Amino acid sequence: MQVSAGQLRHKVALQARQETRSDYGEVTLDWTDVASVWAHVAPQSGREYFAAQQVQSEVSTRVTIRYRDDVDATMRVTHRGTTYGIEAVLPDDGSGFDHLTLMCSEVTT
């Protein structure tokens, strides 16, 4: 299955953790944009569940982008003010180099 340019109509940012050191040697981890790419963003499911006596919400989203060799599950995606943690990076089932499907869950802060 090939992904046409018309299907990739959402602009998303791919982010990675970056370690920085202050002048005092203090290490901080922060998210930095790696790339801004066109994607197809499709919510997969939504469910609520009880955990630790609190109602929590989990949203699964599938983000499809053109193939890149620098995307992995330690990264995250931001789209329209929402941040998604990448749970899995799946190559296309044909050549493996056409597109990537990123299985994501919404990150709450």
Side-chain angles (χ1 to χ4, degrees):
M1 176 184 118
Q2 286 219 330
V3 176
S4 70
Q7 293 173 310
L8 306 177
R9 62 181 182 273
H10 304 109
K11 195 68 155 180
V12 301
L14 297 173
Q15 297 182 329
R17 294 290 292 230
Q18 182 177 15
E19 183 179 290
T20 58
R21 290 190 183 273
S22 70
D23 294 337
Y24 302 104
E26 183 179 75
V27 176
T28 58
L29 294 174
D30 200 11
W31 291 98
T32 184
D33 287 354
V34 173
S36 180
V37 298
W38 290 102
H40 176 69
V41 179
Q44 291 300 293
S45 67
R47 69 180 170 105
E48 289 188 344
Y49 63 96
F50 290 90
Q53 297 180 350
Q54 295 179 347
V55 175
Q56 308 237 346
S57 176
E58 180 181 289
V59 177
S60 296
T61 303
R62 185 179 67 220
V63 178
T64 304
I65 63 172
R66 294 257 182 240
Y67 178 82
R68 297 176 58 98
D69 62 2
D70 61 345
V71 179
D72 61 44
T74 64
M75 300 171 82
R76 69 183 191 177
V77 175
T78 60
H79 172 63
R80 293 184 181 169
T82 303
T83 303
Y84 301 97
I86 299 174
E87 303 295 331
V89 179
L90 308 172
D92 65 271
D93 55 358
S95 69
F97 295 102
D98 181 51
H99 65 273
L100 295 175
T101 300
L102 311 176
M103 301 307 293
C104 302
S105 59
E106 189 172 342
V107 175
T108 57
T109 55

